[in-house]
Amino acid sequence: MTRYIYTSFLILFSIISNAQWTEYNTSNSQLPNNTVRCIAFDHDSTAWVGTDFGLVKIKNGMFTVYNTANSGIPDDAIRCITVDSLNRKWIGTFLGGFTVYNDTVWENYSTSSSPLPDDQVKDIQFDANRTVWLATTGGLVSIDSSLVWKISVQFSSPLQSSNIARIYIDPTDNLKIVGTVNGGLSLVDDTSITTYTISNSGIADNSLYDIDVDAAGNYWMASPANGIVVKTNGFGWTNFSPFNSGISTPSLTCLEFDDEEKLWIGSIDSGLIVKDGLVFKSWNTTNSPMLDNYVECLSFAPDGKLWMGTYSAGLYVVDTAALFTNINSFEPQHFSVYPVPAVDQVWIRINSTNFIYEITDALGNIIETKKIKGSSDPINVSTYVPGIYFVRINTGDGWLSQKLIKK
């Protein structure tokens, strides 16, 4: 289906900002919703922002909002935006399939009008052969330059899940690096699919929400339950979690390298994190202007600033160069939980008598929280279901985590 846009509106806005942070939300701008799912930049550095209530174009301090009421976009809930070599915007939605917008015409594809296996499209990428690759909840889709569709799904291919989360295409060899939900990592070339899961490899999690590749060719992936998963270039697997590193949470959503090879990471519960060498540092609601610790997406603009979408607090533009001079570090400190494994009770050992602790399950759900003043009483875990948990503490300088195993 093709429709022309009939109306759009450009509205000047006021913003909240300081030296490092600029904030856009429904109160201080024309952002239509404070849930920001995705961000992309076109050839003239115009920002395109996907929210749950429409697509937003931000250019020269002005907003244009596209929704189903004023344009040909098929769904207001946006899940991904990718710009092709012709400056067309490929936009994936939650319930309406995907659309291709050339700044005049919307060309829509859905399960009712195309071979698309599912109307939720979470990522769109293009390979060196001009093939379009789509991540859907119904399978991995490719559309070649002759408009031939191919759909790979669980049970009829080596894929271990049809719920595809992210696609990264390696420019060095055109390999498709595919992250799934509960199906591990799949590497797709012109003739085969190779899948890695917990059962057949050293991968630390079967769900992978985002992927980037460093200068050495290592694959870095954001896991929702076990931190950063790394497939090293020829040397196996590595994992960074609160159990074995200074990262503040295992619950990650997205990641992206900057030009200096610092890894910037979005989390479900600990805000914005950076890995600089072996040191992890973080900004969240306790030490920055952030009003929400749930980071949905990250994207570096052509000017080098980091654009960050949150689940409930809108959009932040961060000057990371200025920000890096005033941060809290999450290097390992004197904090432990014992005994591990635990049966009935655990204690927190820390050089502080004034702190807040939280206990979360492996998915980041908070089981209990308490503020401690003075010596810490034992924590009763006798009613916990056996499994892996995390104890997180905050002494006022930021959050630290340790792993807790309940027998």
Side-chain angles (χ1 to χ4, degrees), residues 36-59:
V36 175
R37 303 281 188 176
C38 50
I39 304 163
F41 299 90
D42 69 16
H43 295 181
D44 66 357
S45 300
T46 298
W48 294 83
V49 178
T51 78
D52 278 358
F53 285 8
L55 174 70
V56 184
K57 179 172 74 172
I58 306 176
K59 182 177 183 178

Side-chain angles (χ1 to χ4, degrees), residues 93-145:
T93 74
F94 182 60
L95 295 174
F98 71 97
T99 185
V100 184
Y101 180 50
N102 67 359
D103 296 317
T104 304
V105 178
W106 305 85
E107 188 174 356
N108 298 336
Y109 299 85
S110 68
T111 54
S112 62
S113 63
S114 75
L116 194 68
D118 190 274
D119 281 325
Q120 184 176 161
V121 178
K122 297 191 284 187
D123 197 13
I124 304 173
Q125 299 296 330
F126 315 100
D127 72 13
N129 299 321
R130 295 187 298 161
T131 297
V132 183
W133 293 83
L134 300 102
T136 81
T137 53
L140 177 66
V141 180
S142 65
I143 310 170
D144 69 18
S145 58

